[in-house]
Every structure is written in structure tokens, then in C-alpha cells.
Amino acid sequence: MKSVRCVDLCKTYRQGDLEVTGLDHVDLEINEGGFVCLSAPSGGGKTTLLNAIGGLDTPDSGEIYLAGDRIDNLSKGELAEMRLHQIGFVFQAYNLIPVLTARENVEFVMEVQGVAAASRRKRSLELLEEVGLGGLGDRLPAQMSGGQQQRVAVARAIASRPALVLADEPTANLDSQTSDQLMELFVELNEHHKTTFVIATHDQRVMAYARRVIHMLDGRIVDDERRDEA
Amino acid sequence: MGDMKIVLRLAWRNLWRNHRRTLIMLAAIVVGTWAMIFMTALMRGMVDEMVKDGISVLPGHVQVHHPDFRDDPTISNVIGPPSGELLEALRRPEVVAWSTRVRVPAVISSEQDTRGVTLVGIDPDQERGVSFVADDMTEGRFLESPDDKGLVVGRKLVEKMETDLGKRVVIMTQDPENEIADRGFRIVGIFDSKLDQYEEGFVFAGQGTIQNLLGVGDAISEVAILGTDYRDVEGLTRRVADAAGADTEVLPWNEIDTYLGSMLAVMDGFVIVWIVVIFLALSFGLVNTLVMAVFERVREIGLMLALGMTPRSILTQIVAESTLLLVLGLAIGNLLAWATIEPLKSGIDVSIVGEGMEFFGAASVLYPALYLKDVVLANVIVIVLGFLASLSPAWRASRYDPVRAITQVE
């Protein structure tokens, strides 16, 4: 079973007066439980592809399938519902809701899903423990370091046990030591939960953790480097 | 909506993210609400006093006349005393008091002056519960029986006619045959009225004495009836009209004194205009607060949308922020209004502008009147219009594109 399948994706967008090619006939398949990095220089299309896979952006043409279901033709409401239940997101920065504590941020997606309070609480405390933030559940984001905030975001991303986690430059604002810790956490979660991870990055240190690295340039896949992934 | 709890929690916490801005807006809502309710209570109090004074002078809440009496208020247009069904209707619990009167235009002459007045023949016991005269005696005595031969007059009339308590005056009027009917009366009592025109224009004598003077037997000019609430006289008027029969005219006070009646209607409209005007001033601040609050959180809203929160939940969250702010402001504003009106219920002396007030029929002491319906109206208008005002920024926030919102540079 493929976790992600993209067929002939094209996307252009305007940047001022310029028309920029975001995706140029992209075909891609990612297996369930994969740990994949999308690598490209700035403007290379990795974030555009990640957004398209995550249902945050719609392609101009082509098809996207998540766990076998086509998503590129869904309405905004259906896409929101799909994101809520099937995908976990970790963004580069501003990942947390500032007025919610770490625990409440982890619970956020589950709460929107309607998970009972007791279950949410138990799960969020377990996850905070798992990402090394046990005992910090009552802290607000402003009271935490960048690395700790990203760990909370990771805990939130996997809280509702999504099949797929999409991370866009998750280490961009972290120092190298914190980046390594975060990536080790990703790997551990990937192995432990069998969650598929797709990470957009241009950081070589991050790519070193991936089992597959897809290199993009000007919206096209130029190299698909498979390491130990089937 | 399953995520209502998180939506409300976010709304409440976001409200207090910028304490200063929220407190300033809250203060504006509190002051606005206070002003709406306090000023309305003052205006209501003023009009209430005017209407109550007007009603207590003579009209009562409902009157029964001969059908031609209003066009020609002479002794030719009289009715019989209440009997049968009308008398039964007057004994119902909704009737607080009633009195019969003989009422004719007359001329009063003292040694010094002659003036036109309205001569009112009353049954003192009945009249005591209906009009002001018995309560506002300042000198001498009130009439003691329908056959009392004395005359009760107003202070201003006494002064203008240069007469006094115990002196004799002559009353001259016309009987039903248009013959002059006159008689000397001794002034036995002097009354004050809040309204000068009544002190100058009305004199009171025993009903039986006037009926004898005019030779009309037990005929009367009118029955004045007092119900429980001057604002609710429709039912009473209808029931009295049914009982009084077709050969009478039964009118509520606001048709008898159309000036007072229209004042009440104008006041109802004015209250709504006043509340809406204050709200419009408030709404600019409210919308500005929300627009700023949304503008500062574009990325956060984008994040919530990206995580799967629906646009409808985002819209609800912004509207909830506005509603929470309004509800809080209204609650404090209502309390403040109540706390400032209660101590003033014993009256506010506005005698410094008293002459001007009396000119249009208001007393020189204002009694603020806090009506539940006015408080409800102010609260409902603020909540409903506040909700509508918050829709625009809320709608815009809910329409954000998550990708653009998350990547927006502050």
C-alpha cells in the first residue's frame, strides 16, 4: 500500500509579476512507514509539493492519493477533515498556539476531533514524556525554547496517530544539537509507530537521517536517492 | 459543533492576550451600556412623572362619557350614574378606584377678579382614590361629602383672584336649559398642584351640590376609572366599554390627553434611537479591536486551519471573542447602571432648571425609572448588533488560505 501517490502534478503561482513553476509534472510514490526527505534549494518546489500532499494547496493539474484515496478534488471542508484525521504537520516555526499550554497544544487536534477529555489527557502526557518534555505540560510556548516547542509540535503531529506526518523545514530555526535530537525523535517515532514521515529540507544533516531523499529543482524531481527503503 | 469547547477556550484566552486593549474596549462597552440604561431610566422617569401627574389630575386611566361630551363639554351631555353591568365592571379587582363627576365650564368671581374655570362636582370619598386633589390640600380642608357646600380651589387661582381661605366667591354657569345658574361658595380648602394650569383652571365642589345647582338630578358628566398600570389600559377600556353600553363613549387616558399619549409613544422610539446611536459609537471600537486581534494572529489562524480546524470554527472563535467581550461589558454596565440608579430612586432635584421643566409639564424632581424591558432592549440591541459587527472580521479570518497565512511575514 502506498501512503502517498502523486501523478503528473503541475502547479504555477504568481510572485509579483512573475509566474513561477512550483511543480512541473511530478510523479511520486511513497510507501507506508517511509522516512523521506524532499530536498531542494529555495524555490525548488519541496514546500509546494509538501503542501499539495497535505491538502493545504491544490495542484493546477494531476492527481494526489493518500492511502489510496484521491484528495486533489476534495472541497475545502473535506480537505480540512482529511488533514484533521490523516495528517500530522510540523512547520518551520510558529508551530504552536501561544495561548494554549504544551499539553493543550498536543491535545488540540484530538480535541477538534472530539476525543474524550480523559483519553486526550492521558495520550498527551504520554507523548510529552515520549518527546522528552515530561513535566513541562503546563508551560506556555513562550516559556519554552525553540527545540522544546518543536518537540511539542511533533507530539501534536502524532497525537491522533496519523498515517502520515509532513514536516516543512522543522529544524530551520534550531541549533545543530537540537536538530539532531529532533531528527532522532522523528526516526524513533517512525520506527516505533510505523508512521510515514515526509520532511522538506535543504539541510544535509537532516537528510542523513532519511532512508530516501528526493531531490527537486525548479519544480521537478531530478533524483530519487533510495538508501535502505524498499 | 464538537470543538465548541476549544473554540470558546481560545476565544476567552485570546481576549486577554492584549490586556490593555481589551480593558479599554471593555471600559467603553461598560460606559456605553451604563449611559444607555441610566439615561433611558432618567427619561422614562421624567415621562412617567409627567404621565402620572397628568393622569392624577383628573383623567384617570379610563373615562366614560356621553358620546358628545368631548366635543361639547357642557351639562347638556350627561349620563346616568353607574349601574347594572357597568357597576359590576367597576367592582372588578383590576379597577383600583373610580369616581363620578359633574363637570361644567363656569365663571368664578371674587371681590377683585373674575375668571373662567372648570367646575367639578365630586364625591370626595370616591375622588380621594382617583385624583390628586385630596392629597395635595395645603390649607383648609377637603370636601367632606357630596352635599358639601364649600369650594376647593388652587393656590394660583387664589393668588390671581386676590381672595383667600374662608372668603366667599360666586360661581356662575349654565343649566341644561341654558339659563344662568349661580351660587355663592365659601372657599374651604386650597390645593397645590405640580402643574400650574390645574391650580388656576379647576375648582371642586360637592357633586350633589352642583347637581342641585344645575337641576340635573343624579346625572353626571363622567366616570373616571383608575386601573393598575397606565401602560396597560387596553383590556380595562374594552371591558368597561362592553359594560357601559353603546350610548356612552369609553376612552383610555392617552386618547383623552393626546399630548401625554403621544409623549409616551415618542419616548419608546427615542429610547431605541438613543441605544442604537450609542452602540454605533461603540461598534467602531469593537470592530477595530477585532480587526487588530485578527490581524495580529494571521499565522496562528493559518496554523489552526492547516491542522484541520474548519473555517466555521475560526469564524465562531472570532465572533465568540466579540460576544464574550460584549457580555462581560454588558454585565458590568448593567450592574453599574443599577448601582447608580437605585440610590437616585428617591428623586433627583432638578429645580435649578425647574421652571423650564414645568413649562412642558414635568416636575422639578426626577425619579429615574428602571424598566426591565428597557434593560433587555439595550442588552439585546448591543448583542445583536455586536454580533453583526463582528461578522466581517470573523468572516475574513475564516477565509484565510492556510499556506499564505502561515508564511505571512509580520
Side-chain angles (χ1 to χ4, degrees):
Chain A
M1 186 69 158
K2 302 296 177 196
S3 177
V4 179
R5 187 159 75 92
C6 301
V7 182
D8 198 25
L9 287 188
C10 292
K11 173 79 180 177
T12 55
Y13 52 89
R14 296 200 70 80
Q15 221 168 39
D17 292 335
L18 290 175
E19 193 162 82
V20 178
T21 301
L23 297 174
D24 188 4
H25 300 282
V26 170
D27 289 294
L28 172 67
E29 288 186 350
I30 297 172
N31 293 332
E32 274 183 2
F35 196 98
V36 179
C37 274
L38 300 175
S39 164
S42 286
K46 58 185 184 301
T47 297
T48 308
L49 180 57
L50 204 69
N51 288 340
I53 293 170
L56 292 170
D57 208 353
T58 49
D60 296 336
S61 63
E63 297 167 9
I64 306 169
Y65 297 86
L66 287 191
D69 297 323
R70 188 169 174 183
I71 64 157
D72 58 275
N73 55 359
L74 297 181
S75 68
K76 276 189 172 182
E78 289 168 331
L79 283 172
E81 189 73 10
M82 183 273 295
R83 288 196 299 269
L84 179 66
H85 292 279
Q86 295 188 34
I87 305 176
F89 286 96
V90 181
F91 297 102
Q92 178 177 336
Y94 308 104
N95 241 321
L96 303 181
I97 298 164
V99 292
L100 299 182
T101 63
R103 182 178 57 74
E104 288 170 330
N105 265 288
V106 176
E107 288 186 26
F108 179 81
V109 172
M110 291 187 284
E111 194 163 357
V112 177
Q113 284 177 340
V115 176
S119 309
R120 285 198 318 257
R121 191 178 177 87
K122 184 168 177 284
R123 174 97 175 128
S124 61
L125 291 175
E126 280 171 6
L127 284 170
L128 284 171
E129 197 72 46
E130 195 172 343
V131 299
L133 296 175
L136 301 185
D138 291 331
R139 288 204 184 169
L140 289 169
Q143 298 165 323
M144 304 173 88
S145 69
Q148 287 173 326
Q149 288 186 37
Q150 286 300 66
R151 282 168 177 268
V152 175
V154 172
R156 183 190 58 207
I158 61 170
S160 62
R161 299 183 175 85
L164 175 65
V165 170
L166 302 177
D168 187 9
E169 306 272 15
T171 60
N173 292 329
L174 303 179
D175 59 52
S176 57
Q177 191 186 349
T178 314
S179 294
D180 284 340
Q181 286 171 353
L182 187 71
M183 289 313 298
E184 280 160 17
L185 177 64
F186 277 8
V187 172
E188 189 186 323
L189 293 171
N190 170 251
E191 287 170 356
H192 186 224
H193 297 281
K194 302 298 175 206
T195 308
T196 307
F197 276 75
V198 181
I199 303 161
T201 186
H202 55 250
D203 185 343
Q204 292 293 335
R205 293 166 60 89
V206 171
M207 284 179 242
Y209 289 90
R211 294 200 296 275
R212 180 180 171 193
V213 180
I214 296 167
H215 296 274
M216 297 181 72
L217 185 67
D218 298 333
R220 282 176 290 114
I221 294 177
V222 292
D223 188 20
D224 192 345
E225 181 187 344
R226 292 166 190 262
R227 294 171 180 170
D228 55 353
E229 188 174 82
Chain B
M1 197 185 289
D3 54 357
M4 201 59 197
K5 272 176 83 174
I6 182 81
V7 164
L8 288 178
R9 188 157 73 240
L10 285 167
W12 177 252
R13 292 192 191 170
N14 280 319
L15 202 55
W16 299 105
R17 240 161 120 165
N18 189 329
H19 283 82
R20 189 181 300 174
R21 187 172 60 206
T22 299
L23 286 174
I24 288 171
M25 192 59 224
L26 190 63
I29 296 170
V30 168
V31 171
T33 306
W34 172 83
M36 286 176 196
I37 297 173
F38 187 79
M39 289 304 293
T40 301
L42 281 188
M43 289 185 287
R44 286 283 188 212
M46 189 176 78
V47 171
D48 267 6
E49 282 305 305
M50 287 166 72
V51 172
K52 281 178 191 164
D53 287 349
I55 286 172
S56 75
V57 169
L58 283 179
H61 291 169
V62 177
Q63 280 191 5
V64 184
H65 301 115
H66 185 280
D68 297 328
F69 181 78
R70 287 219 299 163
D71 292 334
D72 181 19
T74 62
I75 199 63
S76 304
N77 295 316
V78 290
I79 57 176
S83 61
E85 281 185 47
L86 178 57
L87 195 56
E88 272 183 39
L90 295 176
R91 288 174 179 154
R92 291 169 66 100
E94 63 188 319
V95 175
V96 174
W98 59 276
S99 72
T100 56
R101 297 169 186 150
V102 178
R103 183 169 167 161
V104 287
V107 171
I108 183 169
S109 298
S110 68
E111 292 160 319
Q112 304 294 330
D113 200 0
T114 298
R115 285 178 168 257
V117 291
T118 298
L119 172 63
V120 186
I122 56 173
D123 179 329
D125 287 340
Q126 289 178 352
E127 196 65 34
R128 214 177 283 275
V130 177
S131 72
F132 73 103
V133 190
D135 296 332
D136 287 356
M137 297 299 298
T138 55
E139 233 180 303
R141 64 170 177 83
F142 188 50
L143 299 170
E144 289 167 347
S145 75
D147 297 322
D148 198 315
K149 303 288 190 282
L151 192 71
V152 170
V153 299
R155 166 86 47 207
K156 282 275 187 311
L157 188 62
V158 167
E159 287 169 7
K160 293 216 164 160
M161 298 194 69
E162 297 179 43
T163 183
D164 211 343
L165 190 70
K167 292 204 169 180
R168 286 184 70 84
V169 290
V170 175
I171 295 279
M172 192 165 62
T173 183
Q174 284 188 2
D175 67 13
E177 272 69 49
N178 297 322
E179 297 298 330
I180 296 293
D182 57 358
R183 184 198 149 98
F185 286 87
R186 191 171 299 282
I187 297 175
V188 296
I190 297 173
F191 66 86
D192 276 353
S193 167
K194 288 174 185 167
L195 307 175
D196 285 356
Q197 69 251 41
Y198 290 99
E199 282 187 31
E200 288 183 48
F202 288 84
V203 296
F204 296 87
Q207 187 173 284
T209 305
I210 302 302
Q211 284 167 332
N212 284 338
L213 172 67
L214 298 168
V216 292
D218 60 358
I220 56 169
S221 303
E222 67 190 22
V223 183
I225 303 158
L226 205 62
T228 50
D229 182 2
Y230 78 83
R231 289 172 178 273
D232 182 22
V233 292
E234 272 181 37
L236 178 63
T237 307
R238 198 170 52 248
R239 280 184 285 279
V240 170
D242 290 345
D247 53 349
T248 58
E249 182 181 50
V250 177
L251 293 172
W253 65 270
N254 51 355
E255 288 183 41
I256 297 164
D257 191 333
T258 49
Y259 170 71
L260 280 179
S262 61
M263 182 170 289
L264 203 64
V266 167
M267 183 51 62
D268 284 341
F270 187 79
V271 164
I272 293 176
V273 171
W274 168 247
I275 291 172
V276 169
V277 165
I278 291 200
F279 176 80
L280 285 178
L282 278 182
S283 67
F284 290 107
L286 179 67
V287 171
N288 181 54
T289 300
L290 289 176
V291 167
M292 288 305 295
V294 168
F295 183 70
E296 288 169 358
R297 318 204 293 267
V298 173
R299 277 200 291 231
E300 200 176 309
I301 291 166
L303 173 68
M304 287 189 280
L305 287 167
L307 292 178
M309 192 170 242
T310 59
R312 195 174 64 170
S313 295
I314 298 292
L315 185 138
T316 307
Q317 188 183 319
I318 307 299
V319 170
E321 271 183 58
S322 149
T323 307
L324 286 170
L325 187 62
L326 288 169
V327 167
L328 195 61
L330 282 171
I332 300 172
N334 286 335
L335 272 176
L336 187 65
W338 176 81
T340 47
I341 290 169
E342 272 303 306
L344 298 174
K345 276 197 167 167
S346 53
I348 306 166
D349 187 358
V350 288
S351 53
I352 195 164
V353 290
E355 278 188 24
M357 301 284 283
E358 282 169 11
F359 180 74
F360 60 94
S364 58
V365 177
L366 272 182
Y367 299 93
L370 185 62
Y371 286 109
L372 181 63
K373 71 166 190 173
D374 289 334
V375 177
V376 170
L377 182 72
N379 283 266
V380 166
I381 285 180
V382 170
I383 286 287
V384 170
L385 294 186
F387 170 79
L388 294 176
S390 65
L391 277 181
S392 169
W395 176 258
R396 281 202 311 194
S398 72
R399 296 291 100 188
Y400 282 154
D401 176 77
V403 173
R404 288 205 180 84
I406 288 171
T407 54
Q408 175 172 301
V409 178
E410 276 176 354

